[in-house]
Amino acid sequence: MGNNNQGPGYTIEPFHRVREAVIDVMIPVRKKHNIHILFEADITDVRKYLQKQKVATGESISLTAFLIKCAADATMTNKRLSSRRISARRLVVYDDMHVSCMVEAEIDGQSHPLALNVRQANRKGVVEINGELAGFTEEQKQKQIGRTRMYSKLPRFIRSRVMHYFFNNPEWIVNDGFNVLLTSVGMFGAGGGHIIPYTDASLCIGVGGITRKPGIVGDRIEPREFLAITVTYDHNITDGAPAARFAQVLKELVECGHGLID
């Protein structure tokens, strides 16, 4: 009798239990009606500025930190976009923007996303946000991995109740959670292209790759770098016109180097 984990042309590998936590986040999305707005932002000047700063000071400021600042301040122009519907007739609108970004970690040889939440990102500068991202220590990662392991061992019906409680608890969002999600595939690979997030967040900024192509500067054409960005919002909460205006504000903030370039 042969190995039950292997056959002609295939191998059966174990499905890691911690992936259940990712699946649990995806399940509530079926109740939402998400809409996506795709656009590109010219980040040529921003990238040049970041490179010059690194040469001048020896310290790196990540593009992710800059985008978190832009996302937070753009959302402050329409807080309703990041609100959360917690019942049929109740909508929670938050005073500040708590932005969560995904950090890749390895658990038992497999890639797994960890959440790093930047509290009140609208009240912080790019350098301060960058410090929080850089300060996400291995100890903090292992602590979050430990909680994920414990959570994933619970039966699914209990996990669903836990997930519902936290994501619909305004106090948890304010103190420990997030109301804006920024997910970036550009951090993990090169090349252009948009990402279409599948998320339960009311507002998600999906950061894709960077493409180098011709752009118009004044009255001339020159090589420029364009970042693919996707804004995903809950159509149950917001209509297309406000979302389109938000996308335009976000694009303008990114292209002018908001909070970074004078």
Side-chain angles (χ1 to χ4, degrees):
M1 188 173 181
N3 186 349
N4 292 332
N5 294 328
Q6 192 167 5
Y10 69 87
T11 301
I12 299 177
E13 297 182 354
F15 186 82
H16 205 296
R17 183 185 292 271
V18 296
R19 294 298 302 174
E20 296 289 346
V22 178
I23 295 173
D24 289 347
V25 176
M26 300 295 105
I27 291 176
V29 186
R30 294 177 297 183
K31 298 180 181 180
K32 290 183 175 291
H33 301 92
N34 286 338
I35 299 294
H36 311 281
I37 297 178
L38 286 69
F39 63 92
E40 291 183 328
D42 187 340
I43 60 168
T44 309
D45 295 336
V46 170
R47 296 252 289 176
K48 287 180 179 179
Y49 179 86
L50 294 177
Q51 291 168 1
K52 288 180 180 179
Q53 282 295 102
K54 183 176 181 180
V55 172
T57 65
E59 298 182 359
S60 298
I61 297 178
S62 73
L63 184 62
T64 300
F66 165 67
L67 293 174
I68 288 175
K69 176 60 177 174
C70 291
D73 286 0
T75 313
M76 288 297 292
T77 64
N78 186 349
K79 297 179 182 180
R80 186 183 176 90
L81 285 167
S82 67
S83 62
R84 184 85 182 185
R85 187 182 182 189
I86 59 173
S87 69
R89 295 293 179 267
R90 293 194 300 168
L91 191 70
V92 181
V93 181
Y94 296 95
D95 295 335
D96 293 299
M97 300 304 123
H98 314 293
V99 184
S100 179
C101 67
M102 297 294 105
V103 178
E104 188 178 30
E106 186 175 290
I107 303 178
D108 300 334
Q110 296 185 18
S111 175
H112 187 81
L114 299 181
L116 194 165
N117 297 337
V118 179
R119 321 296 311 152
Q120 297 179 318
N122 53 292
R123 299 176 184 262
K124 298 175 180 177
V126 178
V127 174
E128 185 177 358
I129 294 173
N130 187 73
E132 290 191 25
L133 300 185
F136 193 43
T137 64
E138 187 63 30
E139 181 180 354
Q140 291 174 309
K141 292 180 182 179
Q142 292 303 319
K143 186 176 181 180
Q144 190 173 145
I145 289 172
R147 291 197 298 263
T148 303
R149 288 184 188 275
M150 294 177 59
Y151 168 84
S152 61
K153 292 179 181 179
L154 298 172
R156 170 152 288 170
F157 77 95
I158 295 181
R159 296 202 311 266
S160 64
R161 292 183 180 181
V162 171
M163 189 73 66
H164 182 271
Y165 170 78
F166 281 116
F167 279 91
N168 292 279
N169 184 335
E171 293 184 1
W172 178 79
I173 298 294
V174 169
N175 296 320
D176 298 294
F178 64 92
N179 57 332
V180 178
L181 176 63
L182 187 142
T183 178
S184 174
V185 297
M187 292 189 295
F188 310 117
H194 286 269
I195 175 178
I196 306 296
Y198 190 77
T199 175
D200 186 42
S202 297
L203 178 63
C204 177
I205 314 299
V207 182
I210 298 174
T211 303
R212 183 177 173 84
K213 58 186 180 181
I216 299 176
V217 180
D219 57 354
R220 66 186 185 278
I221 298 176
E222 61 181 50
R224 307 292 289 181
E225 293 180 313
F226 292 89
L227 178 66
I229 299 177
T230 305
V231 176
T232 299
Y233 66 96
D234 186 356
H235 207 341
N236 294 344
I237 295 175
T238 309
D239 291 321
R245 287 192 289 268
F246 164 80
Q248 182 61 33
V249 170
L250 178 60
K251 183 177 187 296
E252 292 173 356
L253 293 182
V254 171
E255 292 189 335
C256 76
H258 173 68
L260 199 63
I261 303 174
D262 293 334

